[in-house]
Amino acid sequence: MRHNKKFNHLGRTASHRAALLSNMAVSLIMHKRITTTVAKAKALKKYVEPLITKSKQDTTNSRRVVFSYLQDKYAISELFGVISAKVADRPGGYTRIIKTGFRANDNAPMCFIELVDFDENMAKTAKKAKRTRRSKKTAEAPVAEAPAEATAEVAAE
């Protein structure tokens, strides 16, 4: 019976799928953000998050276990050096998937997957836009012109 054995095979054999996920995980670790299809990104998220959790303990055994998945010593040094230091206090959720639309030739849903702590744009606090009514906008327009006239008078003096 196939109970509880449901996951996306991505249209590949087991060895091809393992190689695909390994290569994508190495690219994600080295570049911090990659663009791919949504299905591959979801599969990659399940593949790479346990490896990042394993990298929090910098032991010989954990390095060997992660190396058995990735097979790239530069990615291992990046993961255990830079990435594990940034995610040390995070309890999980190391990656983020942001959908970007559809691919032009085959209309596949595309996205980018990135490591959460390495995106500078998302890390900054976003300013909330003020909700104003139209009547207030017309009242603010003359106020915006007044300082410009004052600076012109100051410059003339």
Side-chain angles (χ1 to χ4, degrees):
M1 288 190 239
R2 293 190 66 245
H3 294 302
N4 208 17
K5 293 188 177 184
K6 184 178 178 182
F7 64 95
N8 195 344
H9 295 280
L10 300 174
R12 289 163 170 79
T13 61
S15 59
H16 188 182
R17 189 169 50 253
L20 171 85
L21 291 173
S22 175
N23 288 333
M24 288 178 69
V26 168
S27 295
L28 180 65
I29 289 168
M30 297 304 287
H31 300 289
K32 312 301 186 272
R33 175 191 285 183
I34 59 173
T35 303
T36 183
T37 62
V38 173
K40 287 179 188 175
K42 288 180 180 179
L44 178 62
K45 185 171 190 163
K46 287 184 179 180
Y47 185 87
V48 79
E49 292 220 1
L51 300 180
I52 296 173
T53 302
K54 188 67 110 169
S55 73
K56 288 182 177 183
Q57 300 175 357
D58 192 4
T59 62
T60 305
N61 184 54
S62 63
R63 281 183 177 261
R64 286 178 178 165
V65 168
V66 173
F67 184 78
S68 71
Y69 284 92
L70 298 181
Q71 298 292 320
D72 188 345
K73 63 182 180 181
Y74 300 111
I76 298 295
S77 62
E78 179 80 10
L79 179 64
F80 280 86
V82 178
I83 295 174
S84 65
K86 276 213 171 187
V87 300
D89 57 342
R90 183 178 284 276
Y94 311 111
T95 57
R96 173 189 299 129
I97 296 175
I98 299 175
K99 296 179 182 178
T100 58
F102 296 93
R103 190 160 48 195
N105 59 356
D106 62 352
N107 210 27
M110 298 297 288
C111 68
F112 57 81
I113 181 170
E114 65 183 359
L115 296 175
V116 172
D117 293 326
F118 289 89
D119 188 14
E120 295 83 20
N121 297 333
M122 295 282 190
K124 296 177 184 174
T125 57
K127 295 180 182 176
K128 292 187 178 180
K130 293 181 182 178
R131 296 185 67 193
T132 60
R133 296 181 185 163
R134 289 185 179 246
S135 61
K136 290 185 179 180
K137 285 184 181 178
T138 57
E140 291 174 0
V143 175
E145 294 176 32
E149 294 172 7
T151 55
E153 293 173 355
V154 172
E157 292 177 10

